[in-house]
Amino acid sequence: MTEAEETGDKGPATAGMTADGAAETQAAVPGAGMVADSDGAGGAQSRTADIVPGPGGVMTDEVGVVTGELTLRTEYADGTVTLHVQYKDADEWYVVTGGSVPLGDPAGLDAVHGVAVALLHRPEG
């Protein structure tokens, strides 16, 4: 049992270790202004972030390629994660082609969303 577990400390935990013992530095993370939604512990959950895809845009099932300023939504429901995009501030959402995968634990949603943002957000090409 760790000291934090013994004392009941519920404070934030970090894994920011470095090889040289220097303090961890903060890094800019695309999509850091993400929004999270949930309709309950076991229900649908989603994360959103504004992105600008690189040349070629993002391929969708419904309308083909979308380009420009987009919003990415990573949604978890019924054991599956699905990526959706929309033109920024539009009403219609489109499924990203190939953007659906089984996910056994909804706790992995943040990681999947972070990877999706990192892959699709390419404002400088």
Side-chain angles (χ1 to χ4, degrees), residues 20-62:
D20 63 3
E24 178 182 7
T25 58
Q26 297 293 325
V29 177
M34 297 182 281
V35 177
D37 296 316
S38 174
D39 67 0
Q45 300 177 42
S46 67
R47 307 290 184 265
T48 60
D50 292 333
I51 63 169
V52 177
V58 176
M59 178 62 77
T60 68
D61 292 347
E62 297 85 358

Side-chain angles (χ1 to χ4, degrees), residues 6 14 16 20 23 26 28 41 43 57 59 62 76-77 79 84 87 103 105 118:
E6 289 176 328
T14 63
D20 63 3
Q26 297 293 325
M59 178 62 77
E62 297 85 358
Y76 175 84
H84 304 264
Y87 290 104
L103 182 66
D105 185 353

